[in-house]
Amino acid sequence: MGVQRLKQGSFYRGRRVLVTGHTGFKGTWLCWLLSALGAEVCGYALAPASGSLYETARPPMAGEVLADIRNRADVEGALTRFQPALVIHLAAHAYLDGSYEFPADIFAANVMGTVGLLEAIRKSGRRIPAVVVTSDKCYAQGLEGKPCQETDPFGAAEAYSTSKACQDLAAQCYSRSFPAMAVATARASNTIGGGDGNKTRLVPHLLDCFAGGVPAKLRNPDFVRPWQYVLDVLWGYLMLGQVLSEGTLAGDTSFNFGPAPDGFQTVGRVAEGLAAHFPGARYELGAGGSTGETQLLRLDSGKAHRLLGWQPLYTLDETLAQAAAFQMGLAHASAAQLCREQAARYLAQRQGEEVQA
């Protein structure tokens, strides 16, 4: 199915890829990974936040448009200007934050922004495969620990989760309504890696506190989440983008990208593992938040294993070590150098995995 070619990098070498949301955390790492594979990377996103990973570790780019994904004219202009062979759509309101303050804006960005992009692709007259990144939060709550499969029902919760479910359904609608289009959805969550500046997320909060020598506060320490290395998740998106481009996918094109079994751990276990890398690190229990999140959430990635040949490369402890190494490495190296080195090391390990196979 082309998995070996992706590992060697030949599929993406010289291929023009448009990444929406490229100035975000995952978008920045995706641009670095694509650059290491030899792709021509273009971006469409809002301007980077001050001090963000994109601003401090700006990856090599063939071009970019800094605009709102809700502006359909700008989206159409970017497609015309860049003429991409593949789109990986990350642009979205990507966090639970704001779900109770500005829900309409979240729906506008996540749902109508995606519809606008897919409509622009449809009207372009070109076959431009699109991987639409949604979220594991789209699944219905109350599954009592059952691992979520791609065929499980979606459910409404707060605005962020509900908007991601609607976004996923909109992408499925375009895939099924317009057979000439190649659209797939990718569902993952809680990616860990260096440079994530959103301190409301657990790992960035822990890294900030541990590196600064102050105690961290844990909210909901018994909640189980799927924790996974950011490059493992992005590798799944790239594998999906390849088979989608090659037209070798049949049937439903929705995929979960979750961690290996050891990655389903409590918030407390993650704090403990990360603290081990920082002498004197401390954490304490804080008041639980009212976010509408489910207490137990698991993903079944069997479909991605079977049809794409994808599996995580890093264990949870290795993932936490990478995040800690990035944080500590900033004392003597630039963020760009650290991104370049970690992306290159990851690809070398994937290639070594191929040789062993």
Side-chain angles (χ1 to χ4, degrees):
M1 190 177 285
V3 172
Q4 300 303 317
R5 292 198 303 278
L6 175 54
K7 289 181 179 179
Q8 295 169 357
S10 62
F11 176 79
Y12 280 98
R13 189 173 299 120
R15 188 171 296 265
R16 185 168 286 254
V17 181
L18 174 62
V19 177
T20 73
H22 70 288
T23 59
F25 166 62
K26 286 170 70 174
T28 302
W29 275 110
L30 180 58
C31 291
W32 272 109
L33 192 56
L34 280 165
S35 176
L37 287 168
E40 293 184 25
V41 190
C42 303
Y44 182 104
L46 295 173
S50 177
S52 66
L53 180 63
Y54 186 81
E55 188 177 73
T56 59
R58 191 174 294 265
M61 302 291 294
E64 67 177 357
V65 170
L66 298 180
D68 197 310
I69 193 64
R70 294 171 291 187
N71 190 321
R72 194 171 301 181
D74 284 343
V75 172
E76 292 174 351
L79 289 176
T80 300
R81 172 183 170 186
F82 296 136
Q83 295 290 300
L86 171 69
V87 173
I88 301 180
H89 177 46
L90 295 169
H93 180 92
Y95 307 105
L96 286 162
D97 313 26
S99 289
Y100 299 100
E101 290 76 29
F102 40 87
D105 291 338
I106 294 175
F107 277 98
N110 291 357
V111 184
M112 296 313 299
T114 298
V115 170
L117 171 65
L118 294 175
E119 190 65 0
I121 290 174
R122 185 178 75 87
K123 291 181 175 179
S124 71
R126 300 175 54 230
R127 183 184 184 275
I128 309 174
V131 174
V132 177
V133 176
T134 62
S135 173
D136 62 349
K137 303 296 191 299
C138 64
Y139 289 111
Q141 300 188 36
L143 296 178
E144 299 179 351
K146 172 187 174 295
C148 297
Q149 297 180 324
E150 289 83 355
T151 54
D152 282 331
F154 288 178
E158 32 56 50
Y160 167 72
S161 300
T162 306
S163 74
K164 298 304 281 186
C166 293
Q167 177 192 34
D168 202 297
L169 289 169
Q172 292 181 52
C173 169
Y174 272 81
S175 176
R176 294 167 182 170
S177 299
F178 307 103
M181 294 184 67
V183 182
T185 59
R187 304 164 189 162
S189 183
N190 295 327
T191 53
I192 298 172
D196 188 349
N198 188 339
K199 301 301 191 300
T200 65
R201 299 182 69 200
L202 176 68
V203 170
H205 169 67
L206 293 175
L207 287 171
D208 187 54
C209 292
F210 293 165
V214 299
K217 291 183 182 288
L218 297 190
R219 184 185 67 190
N220 305 318
D222 295 326
F223 276 23
V224 174
R225 289 290 178 267
W227 312 97
Q228 53 201 133
Y229 186 41
V230 62
L231 295 185
D232 273 337
V233 176
L234 298 177
W235 191 255
Y237 298 168
L238 293 180
M239 297 183 84
L240 179 55
Q242 176 176 343
V243 297
L244 190 67
S245 298
E246 295 174 336
T248 54
L249 280 179
D252 180 52
T253 55
S254 299
F255 286 84
N256 289 336
F257 295 98
D262 79 304
F264 293 97
Q265 298 289 348
T266 64
V267 167
R269 166 67 177 85
V270 169
E272 179 184 6
L274 201 57
H277 295 276
F278 296 86
R282 295 176 294 136
Y283 54 89
E284 56 193 35
L285 302 184
S290 177
T291 63
E293 292 184 82
T294 183
Q295 183 172 359
L296 186 62
L297 182 60
R298 297 181 186 273
L299 285 180
D300 182 336
S301 302
K303 181 180 176 182
H305 298 341
R306 292 190 308 273
L307 299 186
L308 304 180
W310 174 85
Q311 60 183 357
L313 183 63
Y314 283 18
T315 65
L316 175 62
D317 286 337
E318 290 169 338
T319 295
L320 295 175
Q322 289 297 306
F326 191 100
Q327 183 75 25
M328 293 184 288
L330 291 172
H332 55 78
S334 69
Q337 179 181 341
L338 294 172
C339 285
R340 185 182 301 108
E341 291 175 351
Q342 288 199 353
R345 187 180 307 117
Y346 183 82
L347 290 180
Q349 289 177 276
R350 280 292 185 187
Q351 290 166 353
E353 177 188 56
E354 176 192 53
V355 170
Q356 292 176 11

